[in-house]
């Protein structure tokens, strides 16, 4: 009779999770002052930073307004859409 | 007209003024797809979109509908007080965001339907009648929004 031996091996793999970008897009309806106000309220940015991002949205058509963990990005995107800003989520490359 | 407590007072001269601002509710819901659906449809790739449509869009829809209902009630009440003729509508500072949101829903929906683009590029005289009235309503809503931003939301 032969003894049976079970060998268990475990392997750990660690990878850096890529951040998610929250992107606000330009539209012909939302007023610039409102977009600035919403970025301040939802993301807690100071007025100057919010205005700079708003100008990027206006001039470039879109701006990454926040980047980080997926769950948090989804929360911010939800809040921005609740304020009627056209907002998308995309994984950083 | 700004008020002392940081709100806004809108003066109505006659029935047509009430009808004009009252159009905000009808305009906001005049598109086949709701604003929440339109915002949700383009949120991102398939990794995000399915959950978004299932969980976030219904919540946004409820929130947008509640905002419109609140503004609709305020309009109806003010119109009754004025017996449909000359009168005032008071927008308290605490309600300014709801009003702004309702006007925005209407403007976003009119834009979705008519694709006016930037108002600076639109010549009203060149618009056919079927597009001219909605454009002018959108411009009127925008003027009220600007007043709200300037006097009641800063």
């Amino acid at each position: 009779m032969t003894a049976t031996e079970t060998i268990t091996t475990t392997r750990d793999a660690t990878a850096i999770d890529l951040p998610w970008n929250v992107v606000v897009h330009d539209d012909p309806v939302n007023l610039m002052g409102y977009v600035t106000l919403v970025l301040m309220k939802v993301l807690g940015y100071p007025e100057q930073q919010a205005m700079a991002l708003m100008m990027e949205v206006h001039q470039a058509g879109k701006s990454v307004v926040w980047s980080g963990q997926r769950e948090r990005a989804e929360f911010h995107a939800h809040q921005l859409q609740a304020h009627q800003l056209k907002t998308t989520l995309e994984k950083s490359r | 007209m700004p008020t002392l407590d940081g709100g806004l007072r809108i003066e109505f001269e006659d029935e047509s003024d009430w009808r004009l601002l009252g159009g905000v509710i009808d305009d906001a819901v005049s598109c086949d797809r709701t604003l929440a659906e339109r915002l949700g449809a383009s949120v991102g790739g398939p990794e995000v979109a399915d959950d978004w449509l299932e969980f976030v869009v219904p919540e946004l829809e409820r929130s947008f509908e509640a905002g419109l209902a609140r503004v609709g009630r305020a309009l109806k009440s003010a119109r009754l007080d004025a017996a449909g003729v000359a009168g005032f509508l008071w927008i308290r500072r605490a309600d300014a965001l709801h009003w702004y949101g309702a006007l925005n829903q209407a403007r976003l929906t009119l834009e979705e339907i008519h694709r006016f683009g930037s108002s600076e590029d639109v010549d009203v005289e060149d618009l056919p009648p079927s597009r001219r009235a909605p454009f002018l309503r959108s411009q009127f809503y925008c003027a009220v929004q600007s007043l709200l931003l300037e006097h009641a939301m800063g």
Side-chain angles (χ1 to χ4, degrees), chain A:
Chain A
M1 193 170 181
T2 56
T4 304
E5 192 181 351
T6 304
I7 300 172
T8 306
T9 59
T10 57
R11 192 181 300 162
D12 289 333
T14 307
I16 297 170
D17 195 16
L18 290 172
W20 283 73
N21 294 333
V22 178
V23 184
V24 171
H25 298 256
D26 191 29
D27 68 62
V29 167
N30 279 301
L31 301 177
M32 293 196 286
Y34 176 70
V35 176
T36 304
L37 205 67
V38 171
L39 293 175
M40 290 167 67
K41 183 180 166 186
V42 171
L43 301 170
Y45 293 152
E47 186 173 8
Q48 207 170 1
Q49 186 181 357
M51 275 184 77
L53 290 169
M54 175 278 293
M55 284 311 292
E56 190 177 14
V57 171
H58 183 61
Q59 288 168 348
K62 62 181 180 177
S63 173
V64 175
V65 298
W66 193 87
S67 191
Q69 190 199 7
R70 176 176 174 171
E71 205 170 285
R72 199 79 190 145
E74 287 180 346
F75 175 75
H76 288 320
H78 182 178
Q79 293 295 303
L80 292 167
Q81 287 198 350
H83 286 83
Q84 305 178 24
L85 300 192
K86 187 177 177 187
T87 310
T88 59
L89 284 166
E90 57 187 41
K91 207 167 189 173
S92 296
R93 278 173 274 166

